[in-house]
Amino acid sequence: MRRRITLAAASVVAAALVLGAVVFWFVLRASLLEGVRASAEQDAAALASQVEAAGTASLGDLGELDDDRIVLVVGADGAIVAASEDAPRTAADLRDGAAVRVDDETYVIAREDADAADGSEIAAVVGRSTEPVDETLGTVASLLAVSVPLLVTLVALTTWIVVGRALAPVERMRRQVDAVTATTLADRLDEPATGDEIARLAHTLNGMLGRLESAQTTQRRFISDASHELKSPLATLRQYAELARAHPERVDERELGEVVLEEGARLERLVQGMLVLARADEGALRLDRVDVDLDDLLLVEAARIRGAGAIAVDTSGVRATRVRGDAALLAQLTRNLVDNAARHARAGIALAVAPADGGAVVTVDDDGDGIPAADRDRVFDRFVRLDDARARATGGSGLGLSIVREVARAHGGEVRIEDAPSGGARLRVELPAAASAR
């Protein structure tokens, strides 16, 4: 970049200087030649006035002039009446404004017609040499030939130094970023105090490093927690399998089958939950949008909980409500909400859904101990349990509410926790409206 900027600046300046030098040279040449022509015309007018006043005899012997001029007096018939020593011997080409070569020297001709004192018609012809003009133009061309490359070199050198200093912080940041590894994400770049674009770039890169560090920490914690969660059901299965192999008479086949099914279902729920969250993290949580009746989903979950016979389920708040969304993900959202409430309820839960503000609001209440206000954001983090031992005993993976939040956000909605009228916790999910297909 430094070389490209320097080359571009030098090229632009060089082109401008060369063009300016050429234009200046031609303008100067035209101006100097115009000055020579004006001097010749003044001399011709003065010579014509003298001849008109005193005749050609007043000219005397013109001889050799010492001021780079040629002077001629030409009669009406074209004959030369008087001439300086360096003047040409014929006046055929001495037209007004012409440039003629005499003895390897160029003269600009001025011609003025006049009537001599004796009544004859004559023409006063004066030629001014262009040699001073040529010398001046040669000197100017030499100066330009030297000064233009020097100026281009100076601009290139200045640009190289200025760009180098301007890019020095960028190069320093590049080296610092190049040194960042997975184990040094906590390091930060030096932020210049200039407040310019480079300082903002450093601030942005530090923000990126902070986000990467946070994502890495979350990923490591997720992997660690997931490994711990997977180890528990696998250990249970291994324990029963070893016991059945060593002491088959002590293990009932029915009991073994129930343990395998229960722990297998727990593993399946855990793996499926991690897959949903992984797709959400990657932005790959695709929605197959169809018309979904949220009231039907809640009633199905209510029937499932009632079938277990452990707690009462109140569905009096369920109203016919339809949204446009992914049926499988919304079913998982409602199941996780109901399972979470059922695990923490003492005697019963209450399910409700209704249209609201052009969308849909789903609420699930329990009559448990509730969730402290300080922990209401934390419970949506992955593998977080406020009552770790109780949640493990009832089969919770710590991913249920995380999945609820990701599914709600994927549909453009949000979830929050409030106090339930029964004294426990209320989970409130707000989903936006969508046009029905019917």
Side-chain angles (χ1 to χ4, degrees):
M1 182 180 292
R2 189 181 187 184
R3 288 194 297 270
R4 290 198 299 270
I5 293 175
T6 301
L7 181 60
S11 299
V12 170
V13 171
L17 288 177
V18 169
L19 179 61
V22 172
V23 172
F24 171 75
W25 189 89
F26 277 102
V27 169
L28 178 63
R29 179 177 180 274
S31 177
L32 293 176
L33 289 176
E34 183 62 29
V36 171
R37 184 175 295 107
S39 297
E41 289 175 351
Q42 290 177 359
D43 292 343
L47 182 61
S49 298
Q50 181 180 351
V51 172
E52 286 180 345
T56 57
S58 64
L59 297 177
D61 184 11
L62 294 177
E64 184 177 358
L65 302 179
D66 57 358
D67 54 0
D68 296 325
R69 289 185 302 168
I70 56 173
V71 176
L72 298 94
V73 177
V74 182
D77 57 357
I80 297 176
V81 176
S84 62
E85 187 174 327
D86 294 333
R89 301 287 77 116
T90 176
D93 298 327
L94 301 181
R95 299 182 305 276
D96 186 50
V100 298
R101 296 281 296 178
V102 178
D103 295 336
D104 298 329
E105 193 170 346
T106 302
Y107 292 86
V108 175
I109 303 301
R111 185 173 182 134
E112 186 74 21
D113 294 331
D115 293 328
D118 58 2
S120 62
E121 295 182 356
I122 57 95
V125 178
V126 176
R128 279 279 186 174
S129 174
T130 61
E131 184 176 0
V133 173
D134 296 336
E135 291 177 355
T136 301
L137 292 177
T139 302
V140 170
S142 300
L143 291 175
L144 291 175
V146 174
S147 60
V148 168
L150 285 178
L151 287 174
V152 172
T153 303
L154 179 61
V155 169
L157 183 60
T158 303
T159 304
W160 178 268
I161 295 173
V162 171
V163 173
R165 290 184 177 180
L167 294 179
V170 177
E171 175 61 21
R172 184 168 59 251
M173 285 189 289
R174 187 199 65 79
R175 290 195 299 266
Q176 290 177 333
V177 172
D178 187 57
V180 173
T181 63
T183 59
T184 59
L185 284 177
D187 295 343
R188 294 295 180 267
L189 307 180
D190 298 331
E191 295 188 20
T194 55
D196 56 9
E197 291 82 356
I198 294 178
R200 292 196 293 272
L201 174 62
H203 182 74
T204 302
L205 289 176
N206 281 335
M208 179 192 68
L209 290 175
R211 292 190 295 273
L212 289 176
E213 182 186 13
S214 177
Q216 184 192 59
T217 302
T218 302
Q219 184 183 42
R220 286 178 176 175
R221 184 172 63 248
F222 182 83
I223 293 173
S224 176
D225 292 340
S227 301
H228 186 71
E229 293 294 332
L230 290 171
K231 184 169 62 176
S232 179
L234 289 175
T236 301
L237 291 173
R238 181 183 178 88
Q239 178 183 357
Y240 269 85
E242 290 177 348
L243 181 61
R245 185 177 64 178
H247 305 283
E249 71 282 358
R250 298 184 183 179
V251 179
D252 181 67
E253 292 183 1
R254 182 183 181 86
E255 178 185 3
L256 179 60
E258 290 178 352
V259 170
V260 170
L261 288 176
E262 181 180 350
E263 296 300 325
R266 183 177 173 185
L267 280 172
E268 183 180 3
R269 289 194 300 272
L270 183 61
V271 171
Q272 184 172 353
M274 289 191 294
L275 288 175
V276 171
L277 293 174
R279 288 198 297 269
D281 289 342
E282 296 172 358
L285 199 59
R286 307 297 182 187
L287 302 183
D288 184 11
R289 292 186 181 271
V290 295
D291 284 339
V292 180
D293 293 318
L294 294 177
D295 52 313
D296 290 346
L297 296 181
L298 282 179
L299 292 175
V300 168
E301 295 303 321
R304 180 174 62 85
I305 297 299
R306 287 193 184 105
I311 57 174
V313 183
D314 179 9
T315 57
S316 60
V318 176
R319 301 286 182 268
T321 308
R322 175 175 292 173
V323 295
R324 187 94 176 157
D326 189 289
L329 291 176
L330 290 175
Q332 190 170 9
L333 177 145
T334 54
R335 169 161 290 203
N336 288 354
L337 287 174
V338 173
D339 284 345
N340 178 78
R343 279 196 299 271
H344 296 89
R346 289 192 179 96
I349 61 175
L351 312 182
V353 62
D357 297 329
V361 175
V362 180
T363 59
V364 178
D365 299 350
D366 66 68
D367 59 356
D369 296 330
I371 300 175
D375 294 325
R376 289 180 180 178
D377 288 333
R378 193 167 67 88
V379 295
F380 291 107
D381 294 338
R382 300 165 190 185
F383 298 110
V384 170
R385 301 183 184 87
L386 301 184
D387 186 356
D388 189 73
R390 182 168 177 261
R392 289 183 189 279
T394 53
S397 66
L399 295 178
L401 294 185
S402 298
I403 294 174
V404 168
R405 182 173 63 179
E406 295 297 342
V407 172
R409 287 179 175 176
H411 285 80
E414 195 52 79
V415 58
R416 64 175 182 269
I417 299 175
E418 302 172 349
D419 292 326
S422 58
R426 164 176 286 181
L427 272 79
R428 177 186 178 93
V429 178
E430 298 177 357
L431 297 173
S436 172
R438 303 181 202 173

